[in-house]
Amino acid sequence: MNAILSLPSQTINNLDTLKSHLFSFDAKWLDFDTVKELTKNENYFEQKIRLYNAEGNFQFFQINGYVELRDKYEYALLLKGTFTHISYLIENPSKLPQPPVHKAEFELIINGIEAGIWDWDLQFDTIWWSSKFYELLGYQDDEIRTSFNTFFNTLLHKDDKAKVEQLIWEHLYEHKPYKTEIRLLCRSGEYKWFQTSGQAMWDKDGKPIKMAGSIIDITETVNYRSSLLKNEFLLNESAKLARIGAWEVDLKTQKVYWSESTKVIHEFPDNLETPSLTETLSYYPKTSRDKFIKAFDESVSLGRAFDISCEFLTYLQNKIWVRVIGSPLFDIQGNIIGVRGVIKNIDEEKQKELFLQDSLKIIHEQNRKLLNFAHIVSHNIRSHTSNLEMVSNFIEECDTEYERKLLLDNVQQISKQLSETISQLNEVLVTQSQVQQPKVRICFDDVLTKVKSIIQSELVLSGALIKSNFSSCESVYYIPAYLESILINLLSNAIQFRKPEVCPMITLSSWIENNKTVLQIEDNGIGIDLEKYKYKLFGMHHTFHKQTSGKGFGLFLIKNQLDLMGSKIEVESQENIGTTFKIIF
C-alpha cells in the first residue's frame, strides 16, 4: 500500500496512520463503532475508501474483510482482509457500470440554461459533467478528466477546500442543505466565482448513493458585490467623518430605515431594532418636534422637500443640533410612498454660531455700556469742572473776604461731589473687573448674615425687621462679591425709602422656577411710580423721591452686575404699598 501511494515504507503501519491519509468523507467507514455495527450480524464486509498519495491526490482502494474471531457478545475481535487498489477502474469508467442515459428533453434543458450540471455516483465515485459545466470553465467536453479528484484537488481553490469538505459531509450524513460559493480554476489559469448547490439520494439504510447539482458563474456578481461593499465602506466612513446619516420612512409599512451613521448620530445601540416613526419623533424636543412634523407632513401631503435645523435629543439624552433634509418618494404612478433624506450633526457649527451671536450681543451691550459710561463720565465730571471754573472766576472778582469765604465753601462742596462721582465711577470699573472671579456655591443664609452685619447701624437706627425663608432653594452658584453688593444695595434702599413713622419690613425668599434660581426681596416702603419711571429705573443718578437723599447709583450698579453675569431683575411696585425685586440667576 505504501508503495502504491509512493510513500516511504512503513509510513502507514497501523490504524491511526491509515486514518491520517484518509479523505475526510471516508473516515466514517473506518470508525470503530461503524465497523462494529457492520460486522454485528455479518462475517463479511466491503467498503471503498480514498487515500492521499505523496502528491496529494486520491488513490482508490476496495476493502474486503471477514471476521475471524468474536467475543462472548458476538462482537468482532479479530478482522482480516485485503486492500485492493482500484484507481484504474475508477479512472476508466468503461470498466464500471455506466451512469444512466439522460433523455433528449433533459439534454435540451440543461444545455439551454446558464448552469453547469454535475452528477456524482457515490457508490462507484464516478462523476458526469454537462457540456455547460466544461464551457463555464473554458474547456471542451471531456478535455479534462472527469472525477471528484479532479474537482477537489485540481479545480477547487485551496482556501475553499475545507468549506466544501465540511458542507458535503454535513449534507451526506446530517442532511443539511448544500449551497455555497466557491472558486474554480479555469482553463485560462484564473479563478472564477461559482455558486454551487446539490442534493443527495440515500438508500433504505440511509447511506448516500448519489448526489447531483449545478454550478453558476457569479464572478460578475461577486465583483460587483465586492465593489458595492467597498463603496459602502467608503461611504460609511465618509459619512462618519462628515457626521451625516441617511434615513427613509416607508409610509405603507410605517417602517423606518437608518444608516449606520444615522445610528451614530442618534447614539443608538447597534443591537437594538430601529425605532418606529412615532418613537423617532421622541428624539425631538417639543418645539423641534412640531417643526419636524410640520415639514414632514407637508412633504407627504404636498410633495415638498424640506431642510430644517433644530435641537435634538439623542438616545443617551445628549442635546445636540441637527440639520434634517428630506424629500418625498414617488412610485411609477406618481403617488408618494415614502420620505427619504439625510440627517447631519451640526452641533459644533451651531454652538460656534450661538457663541458668536452671544459674543456679538455681549460686545454690543459692552459698547452700549461703554458709550453710556463715557456719557456719564463726560456729563458728571464736566458739570463739576464747569462749576469749579465758574466759582474760581467769581473768587477772582469778589470784593470782600466774606464773599471769598462763601465761594471757597462752594469749592469745597464741589470738590467733595467730584470725589464722590469719581469714587462711584471707580466702583463701576471694579464691578466690571470682578466678573473674572470664580463662581462658588453661596448659601443665602450665610450671605444675608454677612450683609446684616455690614449694614447693622442702618438696621438699628431704622428699626427695620428682616425675615427670610430659603428652604425651597438654599444656595446659588455665583460670585460672592456681586451677591453681597446686590443685597447691600437692595436692603439699604428698602431702609432708605421707608414710609415715615412705619417700621421697615423686609422679606427675602428663594425658589427654583424653570430650572433657574430666583431670589425675591420684598419691602413695605414708599414704592415707585413704574408708569412714570419704568425706563429710568436702572439709570445712573436717576432718583424718584425728592424727599430722600438718594444718589441714584445703587440700582444702576445692581443692574450692571446682573447683566455681566447673564442674570435678570424684575420689579413690581406700588406707591405707598411697597416694592418687590425678583432676581433670576
Side-chain angles (χ1 to χ4, degrees), residues 483-501:
L483 188 56
E484 291 172 13
S485 174
I486 291 167
L487 283 181
I488 288 172
N489 279 290
L490 288 177
L491 295 181
S492 295
N493 281 353
I495 294 171
Q496 183 177 355
F497 300 107
R498 62 185 181 274
K499 295 177 187 176
E501 310 300 329

Side-chain angles (χ1 to χ4, degrees), residues 317-336:
Q317 299 300 299
N318 292 316
K319 186 176 287 188
I320 62 173
W321 278 86
V322 295
R323 181 183 178 187
V324 186
I325 302 173
S327 59
L329 291 172
F330 299 89
D331 62 13
I332 56 176
Q333 284 81 31
N335 301 314
I336 297 175

Side-chain angles (χ1 to χ4, degrees), residues 393-524:
N393 291 333
F394 285 159
I395 290 175
E396 291 178 1
E397 296 174 1
C398 65
D399 298 325
T400 65
E401 190 63 29
Y402 177 74
E403 289 177 346
R404 186 185 298 275
K405 185 177 182 305
L406 288 176
L407 290 172
L408 287 174
D409 288 342
N410 285 336
V411 169
Q412 186 178 7
Q413 184 66 28
I414 293 170
S415 298
K416 182 180 178 182
Q417 291 173 353
L418 177 59
S419 177
E420 288 179 356
T421 298
I422 292 174
S423 177
Q424 290 172 350
L425 295 175
N426 182 64
E427 190 173 349
V428 173
L429 293 175
V430 170
T431 296
Q432 298 280 348
S433 65
Q434 285 177 333
V435 76
Q436 303 298 328
Q437 294 183 6
K439 294 181 181 180
V440 297
R441 179 64 59 182
I442 308 171
C443 181
F444 285 125
D445 274 323
D446 292 343
V447 73
L448 178 60
T449 300
K450 184 175 181 179
V451 168
K452 286 163 68 175
S453 66
I454 294 173
I455 61 171
Q456 180 66 30
S457 58
E458 296 179 53
L459 293 173
V460 172
L461 293 173
S462 65
L465 296 176
I466 297 179
K467 294 182 180 180
S468 62
N469 180 8
F470 303 126
S471 59
S472 297
C473 180
E474 297 180 349
S475 60
V476 68
Y477 197 65
Y478 222 62
I479 296 177
Y482 277 11
L483 188 56
E484 291 172 13
S485 174
I486 291 167
L487 283 181
I488 288 172
N489 279 290
L490 288 177
L491 295 181
S492 295
N493 281 353
I495 294 171
Q496 183 177 355
F497 300 107
R498 62 185 181 274
K499 295 177 187 176
E501 310 300 329
V502 176
C503 179
M505 293 288 296
I506 307 170
T507 303
L508 292 88
S509 57
S510 60
W511 63 87
I512 300 294
E513 185 177 300
N514 296 326
N515 295 322
K516 293 184 179 294
T517 301
V518 178
L519 175 64
Q520 181 173 285
I521 299 95
E522 185 179 1
D523 65 50
N524 62 342

